[in-house]
């Protein structure tokens, strides 16, 4: 139902005809009239204090002969045609806009550009810059969160004593209790200055700072699911490996970890979904600039941050409003595809592969 609501609000983008024209100030001024309360007021006329008509006022003339209107024509040199200085009507203005390929009907042509300029005389809704920014932050976050969370889960499951396990596991899972706005504020005030002093880049808020902050939010999810998957591996696998003479770390990396791969793969996919849809951290730590660059220390703008920052400033039913809901539909489709891959690919192939079926 949520997806139906979000997709329904983006439907005006799919009307390619001229029925849905862009709203302009000219249209709104001509269609809207000031509200009146009660019966319409009578037409006001100037007061007259006598029944006789007033004397017709004429302009003063100097000289005996009046000047005719024919003598007041502008001078013309040659046969140059006169320029039409009349103001075009609202319909003519809208026809000119459609001929210039601007407005709501031409929104789709701007989707594949890199310019995100939704508020201007010539609005452009380039999604490529937002897509690249979202993927860049997601990749950086998963490169940090994935190995750390999986190795922490492997250490907790295979090497840590019972007392150490009772200390480490609650501490890592406690990170999930932090609101994303708190993590974003920490990245804004602490991580951004720290990494700028270390690496010496110009843009204080960038994709790297946002990726590190999002990794803090994704680690608890990946760790918890991975630790459960590693703990679910039968103890007979470990005992058989140790009985054959393998060391403890060889048993952990070459027996327990491959056996828990389907659960770990599902944990990583859920972590990707968590980072891909994160809003507050992206708003506070990435710089919010739709730049197309491979440099991780440049500012970026993500899909979720765009919706969160601009939704409250749009006009209901406007093209910008529909585009933001279309971006929300893309986020939902991506999350649904990730869950489908985790469900069918993991259970259908990886599980059978490691179980020898």
């Amino acid at each position: 139902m949520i997806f139906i609501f979000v997709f329904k609000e983006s439907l005006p983008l799919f009307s390619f005809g001229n029925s849905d024209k862009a709203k302009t100030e000219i249209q709104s001024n001509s269609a809207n009239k000031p509200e009146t309360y009660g019966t319409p007021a009578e037409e006001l006329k100037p007061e007259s204090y006598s029944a006789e008509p007033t004397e017709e006022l004429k302009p003063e003339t100097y000289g005996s002969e009046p000047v005719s209107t024919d003598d007041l024509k502008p001078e013309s040199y040659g046969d140059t045609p006169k320029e039409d200085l009349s103001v075009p009507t609202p319909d003519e203005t809208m026809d000119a806009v459609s001929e210039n390929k601007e407005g709501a009907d031409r929104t789709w042509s701007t989707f594949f550009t890199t310019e995100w300029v939704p508020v201007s005389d010539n609005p452009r809704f380039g999604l490529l810059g937002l897509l690249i920014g979202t993927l860049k932050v997601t990749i950086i976050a998963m490169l940090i969160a994935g190995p750390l969370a999986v190795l922490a889960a492997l250490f907790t499951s295979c090497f840590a004593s019972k007392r150490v396990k009772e200390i480490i596991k609650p501490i890592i899972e406690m990170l999930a209790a932090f609101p994303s706005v708190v993590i974003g504020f920490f990245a804004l005030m602490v991580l951004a200055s720290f990494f700028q002093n270390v690496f010496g880049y110009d843009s204080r808020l960038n994709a790297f700072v946002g990726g590190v902050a999002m990794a803090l939010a994704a680690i608890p999810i990946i760790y918890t699911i991975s630790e459960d998957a590693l703990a679910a591996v039968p103890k007979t696998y470990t005992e058989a490996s140790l009985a054959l003479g393998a060391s403890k770390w060889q048993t952990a990396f070459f027996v327990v970890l491959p056996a828990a791969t389907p659960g770990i793969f599902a944990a990583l996919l859920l972590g990707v979904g968590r980072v891909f849809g994160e809003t507050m951290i992206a708003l506070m730590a990435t710089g919010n600039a739709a730049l197309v660059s491979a440099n991780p220390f440049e500012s970026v703008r993500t899909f979720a941050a765009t919706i969160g920052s601009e939704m409250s400033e749009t006009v209901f039913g406007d093209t910008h409003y529909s585009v933001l809901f279309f971006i929300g539909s893309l986020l939902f489709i991506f999350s649904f595809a990730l869950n489908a891959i985790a469900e069918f690919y993991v259970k259908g192939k990886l599980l059978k592969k490691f179980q020898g079926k």
Side-chain angles (χ1 to χ4, degrees), residues 162-232:
K162 185 177 181 181
R163 180 173 178 79
V164 174
K165 183 178 179 180
E166 291 177 352
I167 296 174
I168 293 178
K169 190 174 181 179
I171 291 176
I172 296 178
E173 292 178 346
M174 191 181 298
L175 287 173
F178 282 96
S180 58
V181 66
V182 175
I183 299 176
F185 192 73
F186 175 73
L188 176 66
M189 301 303 296
V190 179
L191 294 181
S193 301
F194 174 76
F195 287 121
Q196 189 178 27
N197 294 330
V198 172
F199 296 105
Y201 48 76
D202 296 330
S203 180
R204 184 171 176 271
L205 301 177
N206 49 58
F208 181 75
V209 176
V212 173
M214 290 187 182
L216 295 177
I219 282 176
I221 298 175
I222 302 174
Y223 169 81
T224 303
I225 301 176
S226 299
E227 203 276 335
D228 292 340
L230 291 169

Coordinates of all heavy atoms in Angstrom, one line a residue, residues 162-232:
K162 N 33.1 -17.0 26.9 CA 31.7 -16.6 27.2 C 31.5 -15.3 27.8 O 30.6 -14.5 27.5 CB 31.1 -17.7 28.1 CG 29.6 -17.5 28.4 CD 29.0 -18.6 29.2 CE 27.5 -18.4 29.5 NZ 27.0 -19.5 30.3
R163 N 32.5 -14.9 28.7 CA 32.4 -13.6 29.4 C 32.7 -12.5 28.4 O 32.0 -11.4 28.4 CB 33.5 -13.5 30.5 CG 33.5 -12.2 31.3 CD 34.4 -12.3 32.5 NE 34.4 -11.0 33.2 CZ 33.5 -10.6 34.0 NH1 32.4 -11.3 34.2 NH2 33.6 -9.4 34.6
V164 N 33.7 -12.6 27.5 CA 34.0 -11.6 26.5 C 32.9 -11.4 25.5 O 32.6 -10.3 25.1 CB 35.3 -12.0 25.8 CG1 35.6 -11.0 24.7 CG2 36.5 -12.0 26.8
K165 N 32.3 -12.5 25.2 CA 31.1 -12.5 24.3 C 30.0 -11.7 24.9 O 29.3 -10.9 24.2 CB 30.7 -13.9 24.0 CG 29.5 -14.0 23.0 CD 29.2 -15.5 22.7 CE 28.0 -15.6 21.7 NZ 27.7 -17.0 21.4
E166 N 29.7 -11.8 26.2 CA 28.7 -11.1 26.8 C 29.0 -9.6 26.9 O 28.0 -8.8 27.2 CB 28.5 -11.7 28.3 CG 27.9 -13.1 28.3 CD 27.7 -13.6 29.7 OE1 28.3 -13.0 30.6 OE2 27.1 -14.7 29.8
I167 N 30.2 -9.2 26.8 CA 30.6 -7.8 26.8 C 30.5 -7.2 25.4 O 30.0 -6.1 25.2 CB 32.0 -7.6 27.4 CG1 32.0 -8.1 28.9 CG2 32.4 -6.2 27.3 CD1 33.4 -8.0 29.5
I168 N 31.1 -7.9 24.4 CA 31.2 -7.3 23.0 C 29.9 -7.2 22.3 O 29.6 -6.2 21.7 CB 32.2 -8.2 22.2 CG1 33.6 -8.1 22.8 CG2 32.2 -7.8 20.7 CD1 34.7 -8.9 22.1
K169 N 29.1 -8.3 22.4 CA 27.9 -8.3 21.7 C 26.9 -7.2 22.1 O 26.3 -6.5 21.2 CB 27.2 -9.7 21.8 CG 26.0 -9.9 20.9 CD 25.5 -11.4 21.0 CE 24.3 -11.5 20.0 NZ 23.8 -12.9 20.1
P170 N 26.7 -7.0 23.4 CA 25.7 -5.9 23.7 C 26.3 -4.5 23.3 O 25.5 -3.6 22.9 CB 25.6 -6.0 25.2 CG 26.0 -7.4 25.5 CD 27.0 -7.8 24.6
I171 N 27.6 -4.3 23.3 CA 28.2 -3.0 23.0 C 27.9 -2.7 21.5 O 27.5 -1.6 21.1 CB 29.7 -3.0 23.3 CG1 29.9 -3.0 24.8 CG2 30.3 -1.8 22.7 CD1 31.3 -3.1 25.2
I172 N 28.2 -3.7 20.6 CA 28.0 -3.5 19.2 C 26.5 -3.3 18.9 O 26.1 -2.5 18.1 CB 28.6 -4.7 18.4 CG1 30.1 -4.7 18.6 CG2 28.2 -4.5 16.9 CD1 30.7 -5.9 17.9
E173 N 25.7 -4.2 19.5 CA 24.2 -4.0 19.2 C 23.6 -2.8 19.8 O 22.6 -2.3 19.3 CB 23.5 -5.2 19.8 CG 23.8 -6.6 19.1 CD 23.1 -7.7 19.7 OE1 22.6 -7.6 20.9 OE2 23.1 -8.8 19.1
M174 N 24.3 -2.1 20.8 CA 23.8 -0.9 21.3 C 23.9 0.3 20.3 O 23.2 1.2 20.4 CB 24.7 -0.5 22.5 CG 24.1 0.6 23.4 SD 25.1 1.0 24.8 CE 25.0 -0.5 25.7
L175 N 24.8 0.1 19.3 CA 24.9 1.1 18.2 C 23.6 1.2 17.5 O 23.3 2.3 16.9 CB 26.0 0.8 17.2 CG 27.5 1.0 17.7 CD1 28.4 0.4 16.7 CD2 27.7 2.4 18.0
A176 N 22.8 0.1 17.4 CA 21.5 0.2 16.7 C 20.5 1.1 17.4 O 19.5 1.5 16.8 CB 21.0 -1.2 16.5
A177 N 20.8 1.3 18.7 CA 19.8 2.1 19.5 C 20.1 3.6 19.3 O 19.2 4.4 19.6 CB 20.0 1.8 21.0
F178 N 21.2 4.0 18.7 CA 21.4 5.4 18.5 C 20.6 5.9 17.3 O 20.6 5.3 16.2 CB 22.9 5.7 18.1 CG 23.8 5.6 19.3 CD1 24.5 4.5 19.7 CD2 24.0 6.8 20.1 CE1 25.3 4.4 20.8 CE2 24.8 6.7 21.2 CZ 25.5 5.6 21.6
P179 N 19.9 7.0 17.5 CA 19.1 7.6 16.3 C 20.1 8.1 15.2 O 21.2 8.5 15.5 CB 18.4 8.8 17.0 CG 18.4 8.5 18.4 CD 19.6 7.7 18.7
S180 N 19.6 8.0 14.0 CA 20.5 8.3 12.9 C 20.9 9.8 13.0 O 22.0 10.2 12.5 CB 19.8 8.0 11.6 OG 18.6 8.7 11.5
V181 N 20.1 10.7 13.5 CA 20.4 12.1 13.6 C 21.6 12.3 14.6 O 22.4 13.2 14.4 CB 19.2 12.9 14.0 CG1 18.7 12.5 15.5 CG2 19.4 14.4 13.9
V182 N 21.7 11.4 15.6 CA 22.8 11.5 16.5 C 24.1 11.1 15.8 O 25.2 11.8 16.0 CB 22.5 10.7 17.8 CG1 23.8 10.7 18.7 CG2 21.3 11.2 18.5
I183 N 24.1 10.1 15.1 CA 25.3 9.6 14.3 C 25.6 10.7 13.3 O 26.8 11.0 13.1 CB 25.0 8.3 13.6 CG1 24.7 7.2 14.7 CG2 26.2 7.9 12.8 CD1 24.3 5.9 14.1
G184 N 24.6 11.3 12.6 CA 24.9 12.4 11.7 C 25.5 13.6 12.3 O 26.5 14.2 11.8
F185 N 25.1 13.9 13.5 CA 25.6 15.1 14.2 C 27.1 14.8 14.7 O 27.9 15.6 14.6 CB 24.8 15.4 15.5 CG 25.1 16.7 16.1 CD1 24.7 17.9 15.5 CD2 25.8 16.7 17.3 CE1 25.0 19.1 16.1 CE2 26.1 17.9 17.9 CZ 25.7 19.1 17.3
F186 N 27.3 13.5 15.1 CA 28.7 13.1 15.4 C 29.6 13.2 14.2 O 30.8 13.7 14.3 CB 28.7 11.7 16.0 CG 30.0 11.1 16.3 CD1 30.8 11.6 17.4 CD2 30.6 10.2 15.5 CE1 32.0 11.0 17.6 CE2 31.8 9.6 15.7 CZ 32.5 10.1 16.8
A187 N 29.1 12.8 13.1 CA 29.9 12.9 11.8 C 30.2 14.3 11.4 O 31.3 14.7 11.0 CB 29.2 12.1 10.7
L188 N 29.2 15.2 11.6 CA 29.3 16.6 11.2 C 30.3 17.3 12.1 O 31.1 18.1 11.6 CB 27.9 17.2 11.3 CG 27.8 18.7 11.1 CD1 28.1 19.0 9.6 CD2 26.4 19.3 11.4
M189 N 30.3 17.1 13.4 CA 31.1 17.9 14.3 C 32.4 17.2 14.6 O 33.4 18.0 14.9 CB 30.3 18.0 15.6 CG 29.0 18.7 15.5 SD 29.1 20.3 14.7 CE 30.0 21.2 15.9
V190 N 32.6 15.9 14.5 CA 33.8 15.3 15.0 C 34.5 14.6 13.8 O 35.7 14.9 13.5 CB 33.5 14.2 16.0 CG1 34.8 13.5 16.5 CG2 32.8 14.9 17.2
L191 N 33.8 13.7 13.1 CA 34.5 12.9 12.0 C 34.9 13.8 10.9 O 36.0 13.6 10.3 CB 33.5 11.8 11.5 CG 33.2 10.7 12.5 CD1 32.3 9.7 11.8 CD2 34.4 10.0 13.0
A192 N 34.1 14.8 10.5 CA 34.5 15.7 9.4 C 35.8 16.4 9.6 O 36.7 16.5 8.8 CB 33.3 16.6 9.1
S193 N 35.9 17.0 10.8 CA 37.1 17.8 11.1 C 38.3 16.8 11.3 O 39.4 17.2 10.8 CB 36.9 18.5 12.4 OG 35.8 19.4 12.3
F194 N 38.1 15.7 11.9 CA 39.2 14.7 12.1 C 39.8 14.2 10.7 O 41.0 14.3 10.5 CB 38.7 13.5 12.9 CG 39.7 12.4 13.0 CD1 40.8 12.6 13.9 CD2 39.6 11.2 12.3 CE1 41.7 11.5 14.0 CE2 40.5 10.2 12.4 CZ 41.6 10.4 13.3
F195 N 38.9 13.8 9.8 CA 39.4 13.3 8.5 C 40.0 14.4 7.7 O 40.9 14.2 6.8 CB 38.3 12.5 7.8 CG 37.9 11.2 8.4 CD1 36.7 10.9 8.9 CD2 38.9 10.2 8.5 CE1 36.4 9.7 9.4 CE2 38.6 9.0 9.1 CZ 37.3 8.7 9.5
Q196 N 39.4 15.6 7.8 CA 40.0 16.7 7.0 C 41.4 17.1 7.5 O 42.3 17.4 6.7 CB 39.1 18.0 7.2 CG 39.5 19.1 6.2 CD 38.6 20.3 6.3 OE1 38.0 20.5 7.4 NE2 38.5 21.1 5.3
N197 N 41.7 17.0 8.8 CA 43.0 17.2 9.3 C 44.0 16.1 8.9 O 45.2 16.3 8.6 CB 43.0 17.3 10.8 CG 42.3 18.6 11.2 OD1 42.3 19.6 10.5 ND2 41.6 18.5 12.4
V198 N 43.4 14.8 8.8 CA 44.3 13.7 8.4 C 44.6 13.7 6.9 O 45.8 13.6 6.5 CB 43.6 12.4 8.8 CG1 44.4 11.2 8.3 CG2 43.5 12.3 10.3
F199 N 43.6 13.8 6.1 CA 43.8 13.7 4.6 C 44.0 15.1 3.9 O 44.6 15.1 2.8 CB 42.6 13.0 4.0 CG 42.4 11.6 4.4 CD1 41.4 11.3 5.3 CD2 43.2 10.6 4.0 CE1 41.2 10.0 5.8 CE2 43.1 9.3 4.4 CZ 42.1 9.0 5.3
G200 N 43.6 16.2 4.5 CA 43.9 17.5 4.0 C 43.1 17.9 2.8 O 43.6 18.7 1.9
Y201 N 41.9 17.3 2.6 CA 41.1 17.7 1.4 C 40.4 19.0 1.7 O 40.4 19.5 2.8 CB 40.1 16.6 1.1 CG 39.3 16.1 2.3 CD1 38.3 16.8 2.8 CD2 39.7 14.8 2.8 CE1 37.6 16.3 3.9 CE2 39.0 14.3 3.9 CZ 37.9 15.1 4.5 OH 37.2 14.6 5.5
D202 N 39.8 19.6 0.6 CA 39.1 20.9 0.7 C 37.7 20.8 1.2 O 37.3 21.6 2.1 CB 39.1 21.6 -0.7 CG 40.5 21.8 -1.2 OD1 41.4 22.1 -0.3 OD2 40.8 21.8 -2.4
S203 N 36.9 19.9 0.6 CA 35.5 19.8 1.0 C 35.4 19.1 2.3 O 35.7 17.9 2.4 CB 34.7 19.0 -0.1 OG 33.3 18.9 0.3
R204 N 34.9 19.8 3.4 CA 34.8 19.2 4.7 C 33.8 18.1 4.8 O 34.1 17.0 5.4 CB 34.5 20.3 5.7 CG 34.5 19.8 7.2 CD 34.3 21.0 8.1 NE 34.3 20.6 9.5 CZ 33.1 20.3 10.1 NH1 32.0 20.4 9.4 NH2 33.1 19.9 11.3
L205 N 32.6 18.2 4.2 CA 31.6 17.2 4.1 C 31.6 16.6 2.8 O 31.5 17.2 1.8 CB 30.2 17.8 4.4 CG 30.1 18.5 5.8 CD1 28.7 19.1 5.9 CD2 30.4 17.5 6.9
N206 N 31.8 15.3 2.7 CA 32.0 14.6 1.4 C 31.5 13.1 1.6 O 30.9 12.7 2.6 CB 33.4 14.6 1.0 CG 34.4 14.2 2.1 OD1 34.2 13.0 2.6 ND2 35.3 15.0 2.5
A207 N 31.7 12.4 0.5 CA 31.2 11.0 0.4 C 31.9 10.1 1.4 O 31.3 9.2 2.0 CB 31.3 10.4 -1.0
F208 N 33.2 10.3 1.7 CA 33.9 9.5 2.6 C 33.4 9.7 4.0 O 33.2 8.7 4.7 CB 35.4 9.8 2.5 CG 36.3 9.0 3.4 CD1 36.6 7.7 3.1 CD2 36.8 9.5 4.6 CE1 37.3 6.9 4.0 CE2 37.5 8.8 5.5 CZ 37.8 7.5 5.1
V209 N 33.2 10.9 4.5 CA 32.7 11.1 5.8 C 31.3 10.5 5.9 O 30.9 9.9 7.0 CB 32.6 12.7 6.1 CG1 32.0 12.9 7.5 CG2 34.0 13.2 6.1
G210 N 30.4 10.7 4.9 CA 29.1 10.1 5.0 C 29.1 8.6 5.0 O 28.3 8.0 5.7
G211 N 30.1 8.0 4.2 CA 30.2 6.6 4.2 C 30.6 6.0 5.5 O 30.1 5.0 6.0
V212 N 31.6 6.7 6.2 CA 32.0 6.2 7.5 C 30.9 6.3 8.5 O 30.6 5.4 9.4 CB 33.2 7.1 8.0 CG1 33.6 6.7 9.5 CG2 34.4 6.8 7.1
A213 N 30.1 7.4 8.5 CA 29.0 7.6 9.4 C 27.9 6.5 9.1 O 27.3 5.9 10.1 CB 28.4 9.0 9.3
M214 N 27.6 6.2 7.9 CA 26.6 5.2 7.6 C 27.1 3.8 7.9 O 26.3 2.9 8.2 CB 26.3 5.3 6.1 CG 25.5 6.5 5.7 SD 24.9 6.5 4.0 CE 24.1 8.1 3.9
A215 N 28.4 3.6 7.9 CA 29.0 2.3 8.3 C 28.7 2.1 9.8 O 28.4 0.9 10.2 CB 30.5 2.3 8.0
L216 N 28.7 3.1 10.6 CA 28.4 3.0 12.0 C 26.9 2.6 12.2 O 26.6 1.8 13.2 CB 28.6 4.3 12.7 CG 30.1 4.8 12.8 CD1 30.2 6.1 13.5 CD2 30.9 3.8 13.5
A217 N 26.1 3.0 11.3 CA 24.7 2.6 11.4 C 24.4 1.2 10.8 O 23.4 0.5 11.2 CB 23.8 3.6 10.6
A218 N 25.3 0.7 9.9 CA 25.0 -0.6 9.3 C 25.7 -1.7 10.0 O 25.3 -2.9 9.9 CB 25.5 -0.5 7.8
I219 N 26.7 -1.4 10.8 CA 27.5 -2.5 11.5 C 26.6 -3.3 12.4 O 26.7 -4.5 12.4 CB 28.7 -1.8 12.2 CG1 29.8 -1.6 11.2 CG2 29.2 -2.8 13.3 CD1 31.0 -0.9 11.8
P220 N 25.8 -2.7 13.3 CA 24.9 -3.5 14.2 C 24.1 -4.5 13.4 O 23.9 -5.7 13.9 CB 24.1 -2.5 14.9 CG 24.9 -1.3 14.8 CD 25.5 -1.3 13.5
I221 N 23.5 -4.1 12.3 CA 22.6 -5.0 11.6 C 23.4 -6.2 11.0 O 23.0 -7.4 11.1 CB 21.9 -4.3 10.4 CG1 21.0 -3.2 11.0 CG2 21.0 -5.2 9.6 CD1 20.3 -2.3 10.0
I222 N 24.5 -5.9 10.3 CA 25.3 -6.9 9.7 C 25.9 -7.9 10.8 O 25.9 -9.1 10.6 CB 26.4 -6.3 8.9 CG1 25.8 -5.4 7.8 CG2 27.3 -7.4 8.2 CD1 26.9 -4.6 7.0
Y223 N 26.4 -7.3 11.9 CA 27.0 -8.1 13.0 C 25.9 -9.0 13.6 O 26.2 -10.2 13.8 CB 27.5 -7.2 14.0 CG 28.0 -7.9 15.3 CD1 29.2 -8.6 15.4 CD2 27.1 -7.9 16.4 CE1 29.6 -9.2 16.5 CE2 27.5 -8.6 17.5 CZ 28.7 -9.3 17.6 OH 29.1 -9.9 18.7
T224 N 24.8 -8.5 13.9 CA 23.8 -9.4 14.6 C 23.4 -10.6 13.7 O 23.3 -11.7 14.2 CB 22.5 -8.5 14.9 OG1 22.9 -7.4 15.7 CG2 21.5 -9.3 15.7
I225 N 23.0 -10.3 12.5 CA 22.6 -11.4 11.6 C 23.7 -12.4 11.3 O 23.6 -13.6 11.2 CB 22.0 -10.8 10.3 CG1 20.8 -9.9 10.6 CG2 21.5 -11.9 9.4 CD1 20.2 -9.2 9.5
S226 N 24.9 -11.8 11.1 CA 26.1 -12.7 10.8 C 26.4 -13.6 12.0 O 26.8 -14.8 11.9 CB 27.3 -11.9 10.4 OG 27.1 -11.1 9.3
E227 N 26.4 -13.0 13.2 CA 26.7 -13.8 14.4 C 25.7 -14.9 14.6 O 26.0 -16.0 15.0 CB 26.7 -12.8 15.6 CG 27.5 -13.3 16.8 CD 26.7 -14.3 17.7 OE1 25.4 -14.2 17.7 OE2 27.3 -15.1 18.4
D228 N 24.4 -14.6 14.3 CA 23.4 -15.7 14.4 C 23.6 -16.8 13.4 O 23.4 -18.0 13.7 CB 22.0 -15.1 14.2 CG 21.6 -14.1 15.4 OD1 22.2 -14.3 16.5 OD2 20.7 -13.3 15.2
A229 N 24.0 -16.4 12.2 CA 24.3 -17.4 11.2 C 25.5 -18.2 11.5 O 25.5 -19.5 11.3 CB 24.6 -16.7 9.8
L230 N 26.6 -17.6 12.1 CA 27.7 -18.4 12.5 C 27.4 -19.3 13.7 O 27.9 -20.4 13.8 CB 28.9 -17.4 12.9 CG 29.5 -16.6 11.7 CD1 30.4 -15.5 12.2 CD2 30.2 -17.6 10.8
A231 N 26.6 -18.8 14.6 CA 26.2 -19.7 15.8 C 25.3 -20.8 15.4 O 25.3 -21.9 16.1 CB 25.5 -18.8 16.8
A232 N 24.6 -20.7 14.2 CA 23.8 -21.8 13.8 C 24.5 -22.9 13.0 O 23.9 -23.9 12.7 CB 22.7 -21.2 12.8

